[in-house]
Amino acid sequence: MKAIAEGLFTDEPDPRLVGGKDRESGRIVFPCPENDRFEPVPLSRTGTLWSYTIQRFRPKSPPYTGPEAFTPFPVAYVELPGETIVEARLVDVDFGDIAIGMPLVFTPTPLDPQAADPVMIPAFRPAEAA
């Protein structure tokens, strides 16, 4: 699995996002900043839906590098309890079934499923679909 950015996921059978823990305050952020102030920490695989929106148009390129043929998708803010809130794609759920507070599980997903060697991006799916 090749992540869209180096060091974004752990290299485990069930990968996790890698956040950054501020060495002074203990505050956790995502993604992990590339400086000495933050140490990389694996984040929880589970969280709850804090907020979301539906991305209904193709984002500008750059930075978007996804498929030319665009299909709307949900973008979620996922609360990882005691850690941080992360932004990621929401997968394996119908738009009408999305509910604030629903339990979610981390699952990297391909940015472009039709690509020969797709890069993976952060995504979460409903826990009952895990």
Side-chain angles (χ1 to χ4, degrees), residues 42-129:
L43 301 177
S44 175
R45 289 187 38 77
T46 61
T48 55
L49 183 61
W50 187 78
S51 186
Y52 74 97
T53 191
I54 306 298
Q55 179 71 40
R56 297 193 185 275
F57 58 90
R58 189 179 192 280
K60 289 183 181 182
S61 288
Y64 184 73
T65 58
E68 197 60 41
F70 182 77
T71 303
F73 57 85
V75 178
Y77 282 104
V78 180
E79 182 178 11
L80 305 178
E83 295 176 334
T84 192
I85 295 174
V86 299
E87 179 184 337
R89 195 169 288 194
L90 201 53
V91 297
D92 299 338
V93 63
D94 292 329
F95 293 172
D97 293 337
I98 300 171
I100 302 297
M102 67 191 303
L104 302 170
V105 176
F106 179 66
T107 182
T109 196
L111 175 61
D112 181 355
Q114 274 71 48
D117 187 21
V119 293
M120 304 301 276
I121 60 171
F124 283 81
R125 67 175 179 251
E128 64 270 6

